[in-house]
Amino acid sequence: MVTQPQIHGDVDDRFGRVADVFRDNFTARGEVGAAVTVYVRGRKVVDLYGGVADTRTGRQWDAHTPVVVFSCTKGILAICAYLLAQQGRLDLDAPVTRYWPEFGQHGKAHIPVRWLLTHQAGLPAVDRPLTLDEVLAWDPVIKAIEAQAPLWEPGTAHGYHSMTYGWLVGEVVRRITGQLPGAFFADTVAGPLGLHTWLGLPAAESDTVAWGLAPPPEPDPFVDPVAERGITMGGAFAFPADADGLVSFNDDAIRAAGVPGAGAVSTAEGLARLYAACVSDLRGGPLLTAASVDDAVVVRSRGQQRHGPPDTGQRWGTGFLLHSPPARPLLGERSFGHDGAGGNLAFADAEHQVGFGYVVNQMRGMGDERANLLTAAVRTCLDD
């Protein structure tokens, strides 16, 4: 007998199908704790949550439960980059060295900022061994990147920069603003919009975060030594979990440090509101201009990665994952956002002025359809 989950929150009558799929994720797809929020044209039409936030204590998921959203963080940094471009402080097609001169060592002098965001810089991993303390301290990673030669000729191929993306883009943000990207995001975006979204979790919020649960082992995991070195920062930490199944990002120190490619902590509502603000009027006009959105949805990288699993059809814009059926279908060609390890997903759609956020604590691996089914349900409801 399947126990029916306690689902809480609100949903517009037109979007009942989303609530049905959200409930089915618990009864049929192993959901433990989760939340989903959808904005359409500036109005919240779905705001649902349920399940268990912490299986150690039985703490229930509530309306303000955040979770580590892993690579959804990359979309947050991309939004910061576009905001700086709109302010005239960043040229995405200028050399990185205009903002970060030391970056230009060892054949990197002509890499444009855009290639940092499109996974084309040839820097998915660093060769220098790093400890966890060094990774969390920021500057040692920056020094390692400065001393790193590209692993392929920049611009000739792409390969997912799973962790280095955060320091590459984040250091450009820091050089321009004088702030680490988490502080810039907090001051410029999260604070004004009232988001429960952090890149560098405040200590006061630590006990509210959902406890992450490791994904089941993959039966035939893809292993590439460069990709593995990039994901674990050369072994500085296990990702996503150690041999005993402990998810690394449950560590307070890691969450507080704001690991810039994977360490953001957010509610579903925070991510949905962030992306809704990019394409609709939540506070005096959209965050992103029409020109920025047009640029963001241009496909910059696609096809087989230089270091990565077999091609699944994912398409990348400048910092964002784009509509990529069948692996990650969003709402259409005007959608942009990012997913995160284990099942999290957040995106905007400019055509329908949608902001979508879905967060989970039970990580899944290959074949996880929870987010895709929710996205399909939103698409169906918009078409009705």
Side-chain angles (χ1 to χ4, degrees), residues 25-37:
N25 280 348
F26 285 88
T27 58
R29 300 179 193 98
E31 199 80 277
V32 174
V36 61
T37 303

Side-chain angles (χ1 to χ4, degrees), residues 31-355:
E31 199 80 277
V32 174
V36 61
T37 303
V38 182
Y39 281 79
V40 178
R41 302 191 186 282
R43 186 170 70 90
K44 195 186 304 183
V45 298
V46 177
D47 193 21
L48 299 171
Y49 57 93
V52 180
D54 192 335
T55 55
R56 302 168 304 164
T57 64
R59 173 167 59 93
Q60 296 295 292
W61 203 290
D62 65 32
H64 303 294
T65 299
V67 65
V68 178
V69 296
F70 298 107
S71 283
C72 293
T73 310
K74 294 180 174 67
I76 292 172
L77 263 68
I79 291 168
C80 292
Y82 271 101
L83 291 176
L84 289 171
Q86 288 175 185
Q87 295 167 7
R89 303 167 73 186
L90 172 63
D91 180 347
L92 292 169
D93 294 309
V96 176
T97 52
R98 177 182 294 183
Y99 311 100
W100 175 7
E102 301 89 342
F103 176 82
Q105 304 172 57
H106 306 290
K108 304 193 296 296
H110 301 296
I111 294 175
V113 174
R114 193 180 298 274
W115 289 356
L116 307 184
L117 290 129
T118 58
H119 305 277
Q120 294 176 291
L123 299 166
V126 294
D127 293 331
R128 174 184 162 185
L130 294 165
T131 67
L132 178 58
D133 286 345
E134 287 176 320
V135 168
L136 301 187
W138 190 274
D139 283 343
V141 181
I142 300 307
K143 296 299 183 186
I145 288 171
E146 290 171 356
Q148 178 74 34
L151 301 183
W152 62 81
E153 184 180 345
T156 63
H158 78 286
Y160 189 58
H161 288 44
S162 54
M163 288 293 183
T164 53
Y165 171 106
W167 284 281
L168 289 165
V169 179
E171 182 65 6
V172 172
V173 171
R174 189 179 76 87
R175 294 294 177 115
I176 293 170
T177 67
Q179 295 179 289
L180 289 173
F184 176 73
F185 174 70
D187 290 347
T188 307
V189 182
L193 285 172
L195 307 182
H196 284 259
T197 305
W198 303 271
L199 182 52
L201 186 71
E205 299 290 341
S206 182
D207 290 341
T208 70
V209 181
W211 184 259
L213 301 168
E218 294 286 354
D220 187 21
F222 169 81
V223 178
D224 176 279
V226 171
E228 178 72 14
R229 193 166 79 245
I231 291 170
T232 66
M233 292 302 292
F237 54 73
F239 187 91
D242 63 19
D244 295 324
L246 179 65
V247 175
S248 304
F249 282 72
N250 286 325
D251 186 311
D252 284 342
I254 293 176
R255 295 188 306 212
V259 175
V265 177
S266 183
T267 61
E269 204 280 338
L271 291 176
R273 185 171 175 81
L274 169 63
Y275 278 102
C278 288
V279 294
S280 58
D281 185 359
L282 292 187
R283 283 184 66 94
L287 275 180
L288 298 185
T289 64
S292 290
V293 173
D294 288 346
D295 188 82
V297 298
V298 173
V299 178
R300 308 285 180 174
S301 305
R302 66 190 307 171
Q304 183 59 48
Q305 298 183 55
R306 184 63 174 264
H307 293 281
D311 180 24
T312 60
Q314 287 185 319
R315 307 186 310 161
W316 303 97
T318 300
F320 297 110
L321 175 68
L322 304 180
H323 178 57
S324 301
R328 183 62 80 201
L330 303 178
L331 296 184
E333 297 299 324
R334 300 288 289 171
S335 297
F336 60 97
H338 220 290
D339 54 9
N344 305 286
L345 177 64
F347 66 88
D349 182 84
E351 179 181 353
H352 299 285
Q353 293 183 34
V354 164

